Amino acid sequence: MTTTQDSPKTERSVPKPVFTDAEAGAQVFPDSTLRHYNYYKPQKRKQSHYEDVTVDVQPDPRHYLSQGWLYGFSDGRGGYPLDWTALKAWGSDKPSPERGPGTGGLFVKDWPATGWHEFRDPNEEWELTLYRYNSNVVRQVTQNVEAAKQSKAFEQWNTNWVRFVEHHIGAWMHVDHGLGLYLYANANRRAPTNMHNNAISVNSMHRIRSAQDLALYNLTLSEEIEGFDGSAHLDTWNNDPAWQGVRDVAEQLTGIDDWCEAIFAANIVFEPLVGELFRSQLVQQAAPRNGDFVTPTVVGAAEYDFAERDLRYSTAMFELLTNDKEFADHNKAILSDWMANWTTKSLEAARKLQPLWSQPDAKPPRFEDGLDRVKNRFSGIVTSLGLEVPKELAQ
Amino acid sequence: MSRQSVAKAHQKIQELSWEPAYHEPVSQYGTDYTFRKAQKKDPLKQVLRSYFPMQEEKDHRVYGASDGAIRGNMFRQVQERWLEWQKLFLSIIPLPEISAARAMPLLFRTVPNPELHNGQAIQMIDEVRHSTIQQNLKRLYMNNYIDPAGFNSSLRNFQSDYCGTIGRQFAEGFITGDAITAASIYLTIVAETAFTNTLFVAMPAEAAANGDYLLPTVFHSVQSDESRHISNGYATLLMALADEDNHQLLARDLRYAWWNNHRVVDAAIGTFIEYGTKDRRKDRESYAEMWRRWIYDDYYRSYLVPLEKYGLEIPHDLIEESWNQIWNKGYVHEVAQFFATGWLANYWRIDPMTDKDFEWFEYKYPGWYDKYGAWWENYNRLSMPNGHKPIVFEDVDYEYPHRCWTCMVPCLVREDMVMAKVDGQWRTYCHEMCKWTDETAFRPTYQGRQTPNMGKLIGHREWETLYHGWNWADVVSDMGFVRDDGKTMVAQPHLDLNPDKMWTLDHLRKCPPLASPNVLLNEMSDAERTAFAARYVKGGPAGRPAPADA
């Protein structure tokens, strides 16, 4: 009989667990039960998870930033200047505390010092929510398109509808992409609080994702439908007169310097009057009549982004400004000017799209009826903000 | 999606971009760089259809681990010495992260590459992820760790305290000034490519060794996004290198960005890793060893040096000088000693070092005990209130340092301190390089070349100025670093939570008033100032005043 002997085991060098009893509640001492962020006031009775991960991450010299901004542009201005928008929230005209030798921090006791800090995103977006939401969208869109492929759904499309999708559904991806990057993502550097900028950056991702949803849908259609021209959308966007109005306005929107005007013009005026007109009053109405149950699910995802989330934070943001205790009238006057300007431009763009309504074999409801609907909805949005419906809407 | 379909999908989304036909997008940020000969390639190839589910999956892992940590009572095994330093680190880091998100638009108009803009937008939302996931980690610590003080007041503390101000450079430097200097060279080429290695890889390993596996869970998840950001920076750098006019600016910006990152990140992370750990195994890597591996070998030799053949002027001298500072001049030890000297102005507790710590330091850094040992023994002796004052007021052979105007870390390696009158004010700098940054780099001309877009150093850069002449009890009250009994300080120079052993405002009331070194410097006559400087540089190491006969 042989015996085996364990070879001497060399102990690996690893950190050893140590019982430290550093658990909440292990001892009682000053602050031992103060387990909430004590530097901000919640919007409601209790601090929300969203507020905890968002509020005050971006500092403000009017609050605790006693040494001020440390790096500036070449003109010596740092941080997030309030005059990057013409709109004002209460306290905006009050200068930052003048600190210097021996002044101490001059911390504002009665916070917030400006109305800007009252804004909370009603969607309560932070990383957990935004990835959960957008993952659900891309999964659902992918599954819908996949199911359509399996069931040969695209074979039901008539030729005219194929042409409509390749040209016009494709053209809208450029609007989403251009605004997503150069309006929304751009604006995430501009607003004075973290709550604004995070909401705007999430909005940006909705639009960029939606653009990519349409582009990848277009790629699938190129593979599934014989003769589908996957590049037709480029010519439409570049040359089709029906789209040049939309393109003109989209480019003007990306040229806005004032971040509030950019969000207002895009989300309060352009999207309700042009975006929803195209998506809800044209595509969603025409597609089923032409045998297409797939496109509405792709476009519907973008419609939900806007109608249920992006519009929601935008109205919350502008409601605060039109009801501001110090600058309501100032803000309303500026917003009314912006609204008149962008309503005119948006309606011109909308009317140029009218030829699209006659292109599918099975026609959607009349263009004028669709336009009336979006005008009514727009009026409701504007009124809810405490603004007058612009006379330009009658165009 | 299969790899093939990812490639096809990425190619397809290139159709999304378009050149304006009627109106140009707004141009809000300037640069002195030019991109006339730039190649246009996006190395990222990220499509949102795969990106969002990938990030969601990463979230599942992070939040699953968070739940597990709470259910498994992780905090029974967490070292307080370690978690206390997280009060500083996690108060700082969410702002740099969100500032990186805000920095991306600086590149839209200045880097004419629509392909890259897609990657920059994804980086933007990655950074929103990082900022909020880190705020959430801090919230979890606040709720579950024994001492929530300092976590519960985190962002107020960070924004009003000098340590936060040092850390804030690692955020504001991303979003202001010349767009390429800020959002590309400082942020992606140096901060992300070089220093996130120590921030998000080396430091989490140390956390795990101290019983905290949540920090590695969160920060490794964060670091997995950084590789994409590094690609963004690399692509922009190659574009910039294609235009020879940029080489001079690249050389300037690499020097500034490298040195500032070294001063700020090595100060903070070096201290956390060396002085925040209880793991004193001799074979565990020291910060110096980690730095040599992650920064010197992985970044400098593997990433930067190969770029030399494309015309990039590498700051070899500064990289060697940074190593010299860490290895020969005890930079990290000097910083840790200063943090501990000024514990009363902080918002976390600093554990005294023990014989076991001394032994490890001596093993890893031969000669450490002769320089720092006696001071840390004094720190231990003076840690509980017992009729004496906090260590900064006691005679322990330590001279309170002047602060560097540029990096805002004090001038701790005394022999390197330099002084200059800039913009009408006498300023001290921790090193000739920080003086160069203020005097030469951040100016509207550089080596005779117009640089109108270069940023400016602004703000009240010496914290002590604000409280010059104040009683320390009032300073700490003003900053809000007081616990809920209205008198016990958040900061303590030990870890004992017995209220009888904790320092209060009453103890501080008896201390001498705070004096601003910079205010005093500017009150000196020229002769006094010259004498001061001559004496200061003969001080040290370990903060020792210059010998009387020096």
Side-chain angles (χ1 to χ4, degrees):
Chain A
M1 189 175 152
T2 56
T3 57
T4 56
Q5 193 174 355
D6 289 340
S7 55
K9 195 171 176 183
T10 313
E11 194 178 348
R12 289 177 60 223
S13 171
V14 287
K16 303 282 189 300
V18 180
F19 179 73
T20 59
D21 204 13
E23 199 175 12
Q27 287 182 62
V28 176
F29 52 88
D31 255 24
S32 60
T33 57
L34 203 65
R35 297 186 185 274
H36 66 273
Y37 288 147
N38 62 16
Y39 48 83
Y40 79 90
K41 288 179 193 153
Q43 185 183 43
K44 296 178 182 164
R45 191 177 56 82
K46 199 165 172 257
Q47 289 173 318
S48 69
H49 203 149
Y50 153 76
E51 286 176 310
D52 274 353
V53 298
T54 312
V55 176
D56 268 353
V57 172
Q58 183 178 312
D60 187 331
R62 287 169 175 74
H63 205 192
Y64 298 126
L65 206 64
S66 54
Q67 290 180 250
W69 297 111
L70 305 169
Y71 285 80
F73 289 103
S74 56
D75 63 0
R77 305 181 82 199
Y80 300 82
L82 294 185
D83 62 7
W84 279 356
T85 176
L87 301 187
K88 293 181 179 181
W90 59 265
S92 288
D93 283 352
K94 212 172 143 187
S96 292
E98 284 288 332
R99 298 166 176 117
T103 60
L106 299 179
F107 303 114
V108 175
K109 303 287 183 227
D110 193 15
W111 182 253
T114 76
W116 291 110
H117 291 271
E118 291 179 335
F119 173 66
R120 299 289 187 273
D121 175 4
N123 302 316
E124 304 205 326
E125 292 279 25
W126 60 294
E127 69 104 19
L128 196 63
T129 62
L130 83 89
Y131 288 113
R132 194 180 282 159
Y133 173 80
N134 283 286
S135 298
N136 283 339
V137 172
V138 295
R139 262 195 298 271
Q140 191 64 59
V141 166
T142 304
Q143 286 165 2
N144 292 347
V145 174
E146 196 56 38
K149 275 166 66 178
Q150 302 292 337
S151 62
K152 308 287 181 198
F154 305 118
E155 290 176 7
Q156 298 175 47
W157 294 13
N158 60 56
T159 307
N160 258 353
W161 184 250
V162 171
R163 298 287 88 79
F164 184 91
V165 172
E166 70 186 13
H167 285 269
H168 303 302
I169 304 293
W172 189 263
M173 69 172 83
H174 300 291
V175 181
D176 280 336
H177 183 75
L179 297 184
L181 269 176
Y182 304 116
L183 187 146
Y184 297 101
N186 188 61
N188 110 100
R189 169 68 185 88
R190 311 293 290 177
T193 82
N194 207 41
M195 291 77 81
H196 291 89
N197 286 326
N198 276 8
I200 291 167
S201 58
V202 172
N203 190 166
S204 158
M205 294 318 286
H206 289 158
R207 299 304 293 265
I208 297 171
R209 192 217 71 231
S210 171
Q212 294 191 7
D213 288 345
L214 291 175
L216 299 179
Y217 181 47
N218 180 287
L219 178 64
T220 302
L221 296 179
S222 304
E223 293 165 346
E224 293 293 315
I225 302 175
E226 198 176 335
F228 187 92
D229 181 357
S231 62
H233 64 95
L234 293 168
D235 186 53
T236 306
W237 180 246
N238 288 330
N239 301 310
D240 186 338
W243 280 96
Q244 296 317 296
V246 173
R247 180 167 180 161
D248 191 334
V249 180
E251 290 186 8
Q252 288 188 59
L253 286 167
T254 65
I256 299 171
D257 181 63
D258 183 307
W259 69 270
C260 269
E261 183 180 2
I263 302 299
F264 184 81
N267 282 357
I268 304 297
V269 185
F270 177 79
E271 277 301 311
L273 289 178
V274 181
E276 291 195 333
L277 176 72
F278 176 74
R279 291 187 298 262
S280 281
Q281 304 303 325
L282 174 59
V283 179
Q284 306 294 69
Q285 306 293 330
R289 300 165 197 224
N290 287 279
D292 177 4
F293 65 82
V294 193
T295 306
T297 67
V298 180
V299 171
E303 194 67 303
Y304 190 89
D305 290 343
F306 172 68
E308 299 299 326
R309 298 183 89 86
D310 299 333
L311 179 62
R312 194 160 171 242
Y313 90 79
S314 304
T315 49
M317 188 174 116
F318 289 110
E319 263 171 11
L320 272 176
L321 294 163
T322 55
N323 290 304
D324 188 87
K325 64 187 181 190
E326 191 179 348
F327 292 111
D329 291 341
H330 166 91
N331 292 336
K332 283 181 183 174
I334 291 171
L335 287 167
S336 297
D337 285 349
W338 289 345
M339 192 158 53
N341 181 30
W342 292 104
T343 300
T344 302
K345 289 173 175 172
S346 297
L347 284 178
E348 281 173 16
R351 288 206 174 279
K352 283 188 179 164
L353 283 175
Q354 187 168 1
L356 271 58
W357 266 250
S358 57
Q359 291 188 17
D361 288 347
K363 303 286 183 282
R366 287 176 352 110
F367 170 81
E368 289 298 341
D369 292 344
L371 189 62
D372 281 348
R373 283 201 196 95
V374 296
K375 282 181 174 179
N376 282 339
R377 176 164 154 79
F378 171 70
S379 300
I381 294 167
V382 166
T383 310
S384 75
L385 291 175
L387 298 168
E388 299 282 331
V389 175
K391 64 179 188 325
E392 289 77 7
L393 195 65
Q395 288 171 76
Chain B
M1 286 198 289
S2 69
R3 285 197 66 79
Q4 184 191 13
S5 65
V6 167
K8 278 166 75 177
H10 182 262
Q11 193 179 359
K12 183 68 184 176
I13 65 168
Q14 300 316 316
E15 292 175 9
L16 287 167
S17 60
W18 37 278
E19 291 294 322
Y22 306 100
H23 309 275
E24 288 291 321
V26 65
S27 178
Q28 292 160 319
Y29 313 103
T31 182
D32 300 320
Y33 284 77
T34 52
F35 291 91
R36 287 185 291 261
K37 301 174 187 167
Q39 291 190 347
K40 300 180 178 182
K41 281 198 178 149
D42 170 21
L44 204 61
K45 300 207 185 316
Q46 188 79 58
V47 179
L48 294 179
R49 181 182 286 182
S50 55
Y51 168 79
F52 284 126
M54 174 185 77
Q55 298 297 76
E56 189 192 35
E57 171 60 24
K58 281 156 65 176
D59 272 1
H60 286 156
R61 297 176 191 196
V62 167
Y63 291 98
S66 301
D67 281 355
I70 295 167
R71 289 175 194 163
N73 294 318
M74 182 186 86
F75 291 91
R76 288 182 190 169
Q77 295 175 26
V78 162
Q79 292 291 351
E80 290 184 57
R81 175 187 280 183
W82 176 260
L83 250 286
E84 288 298 319
W85 284 103
Q86 292 309 308
K87 292 177 179 174
L88 171 59
F89 177 61
L90 287 173
S91 73
I92 295 173
I93 198 69
L95 179 68
E97 297 283 14
I98 208 66
S99 301
R102 311 301 180 231
M104 291 300 105
L106 272 68
L107 301 171
F108 289 162
R109 288 283 279 150
T110 48
V111 182
N113 182 352
E115 266 198 50
L116 265 188
H117 300 168
N118 182 52
Q120 288 153 358
I122 293 178
Q123 177 166 354
M124 173 192 75
I125 208 69
D126 276 346
E127 307 289 9
V128 173
R129 171 175 193 254
H130 300 173
S131 176
T132 52
I133 207 171
Q134 290 160 6
Q135 275 288 109
N136 187 62
L137 175 65
K138 181 166 59 184
R139 183 177 184 268
L140 188 147
Y141 287 159
M142 173 178 70
N143 283 327
N144 296 283
Y145 169 62
I146 188 167
D147 182 12
F151 284 131
N152 53 20
S153 48
S154 176
L155 291 180
R156 170 178 184 163
N157 304 341
F158 162 62
Q159 293 169 21
S160 60
D161 171 78
Y162 76 83
C163 295
T165 309
I166 295 169
R168 227 167 356 104
Q169 297 172 90
F170 204 65
E172 292 186 39
F174 306 162
I175 59 167
T176 52
D178 186 300
I180 303 299
T181 308
S184 189
I185 309 302
Y186 187 82
L187 168 57
T188 51
I189 302 299
V190 179
E192 292 189 299
T193 308
F195 285 89
T196 55
N197 280 329
T198 54
L199 274 168
F200 298 160
V201 182
M203 198 177 72
E206 207 51 47
N210 283 277
D212 173 11
Y213 59 76
L214 279 186
L215 193 90
T217 302
V218 170
F219 279 86
H220 287 177
S221 190
V222 165
Q223 183 69 2
S224 68
D225 295 330
E226 297 296 340
S227 57
R228 286 199 304 278
H229 308 171
I230 291 166
S231 298
N232 278 340
Y234 190 71
T236 309
L237 178 61
L238 291 184
M239 288 175 67
L241 277 168
D243 201 326
E244 277 193 19
D245 281 355
N246 294 329
H247 290 192
Q248 183 186 27
L249 299 178
L250 282 169
R252 177 198 66 184
D253 291 346
L254 259 187
R255 293 185 76 76
Y256 142 65
W258 169 271
W259 188 255
N260 187 267
N261 270 268
H262 151 65
R263 278 334 232 186
V264 174
V265 180
D266 287 336
I269 308 300
T271 299
F272 302 159
I273 287 179
E274 302 296 52
Y275 289 82
T277 188
K278 292 289 277 187
D279 181 13
R280 295 304 185 193
R281 287 171 301 132
K282 298 273 173 60
D283 56 354
R284 86 109 169 135
E285 281 187 329
S286 67
Y287 185 73
E289 289 166 313
M290 291 176 190
W291 196 95
R292 197 75 191 172
R293 176 151 72 105
W294 291 109
I295 300 203
Y296 194 90
D297 290 341
D298 274 20
Y299 175 72
Y300 169 52
R301 293 178 60 191
S302 305
Y303 175 90
L304 268 190
V305 169
L307 288 166
E308 204 159 29
K309 62 176 176 286
Y310 298 110
L312 186 66
E313 194 178 308
I314 312 288
H316 300 287
D317 58 325
L318 296 185
I319 287 152
E320 297 300 341
E321 174 59 12
S322 303
W323 174 247
N324 182 39
Q325 292 280 323
I326 290 170
W327 186 245
N328 296 317
K329 297 195 173 184
Y331 184 62
V332 170
H333 307 301
E334 299 279 340
V335 172
Q337 185 190 17
F338 174 74
F339 279 147
T341 294
W343 67 263
L344 63 171
N346 298 338
Y347 45 92
W348 63 95
R349 298 177 290 143
I350 300 178
D351 192 18
M353 295 295 110
T354 65
D355 288 348
K356 194 175 171 189
D357 299 312
F358 292 172
E359 190 185 333
W360 185 89
F361 278 118
E362 189 60 31
Y363 178 77
K364 289 291 183 181
Y365 298 96
W368 181 92
Y369 185 82
D370 281 348
K371 292 177 187 162
Y372 305 101
W375 187 90
W376 279 103
E377 281 164 356
N378 278 319
Y379 181 84
N380 200 355
R381 177 175 61 82
L382 298 166
S383 62
M384 304 281 181
N386 187 22
H388 56 79
K389 296 183 177 61
I391 190 167
V392 68
F393 306 110
E394 296 289 337
D395 181 10
V396 290
D397 213 17
Y398 188 88
E399 185 176 27
Y400 192 83
H402 280 242
R403 198 167 285 273
C404 176
W405 190 261
T406 299
C407 74
M408 293 176 286
V409 180
C411 309
L412 296 168
V413 180
R414 314 281 163 147
E415 68 199 64
D416 291 339
M417 191 277 285
V418 286
M419 203 169 63
K421 191 171 190 180
V422 179
D423 298 337
Q425 180 188 26
W426 281 100
R427 298 171 179 176
T428 46
Y429 301 91
C430 67
H431 191 276
E432 191 62 45
M433 262 311 294
C434 274
K435 176 165 166 267
W436 172 87
T437 300
D438 185 22
E439 263 192 332
T440 307
F442 274 73
R443 298 286 151 179
T445 56
Y446 178 68
Q447 296 179 343
R449 169 187 187 152
Q450 297 297 306
T451 50
N453 289 296
M454 193 58 180
K456 283 191 172 158
L457 305 187
I458 57 174
H460 302 290
R461 300 181 78 86
E462 195 212 37
W463 169 82
E464 289 88 345
T465 301
L466 301 180
Y467 292 102
H468 182 62
W470 281 47
N471 181 279
W472 270 95
D474 296 329
V475 173
V476 172
S477 293
D478 192 54
M479 293 194 296
F481 301 172
V482 184
R483 293 170 187 257
D484 63 359
D485 62 352
K487 63 172 190 174
T488 306
M489 296 167 65
V490 172
Q492 298 291 328
H494 59 76
L495 297 180
D496 196 328
L497 287 166
N498 178 346
D500 294 338
K501 296 182 176 169
M502 293 170 82
W503 292 78
T504 68
L505 294 180
D506 296 337
H507 297 114
L508 294 192
R509 189 71 61 195
K510 299 167 190 160
C511 297
L514 192 156
S516 151
N518 187 263
V519 169
L520 297 178
L521 183 75
N522 280 276
E523 287 173 356
M524 291 177 190
S525 67
D526 288 348
E528 287 170 333
R529 200 175 298 110
T530 305
F532 149 77
R535 186 175 158 71
Y536 192 92
V537 296
K538 288 179 182 153
R544 286 171 197 145
D549 57 352

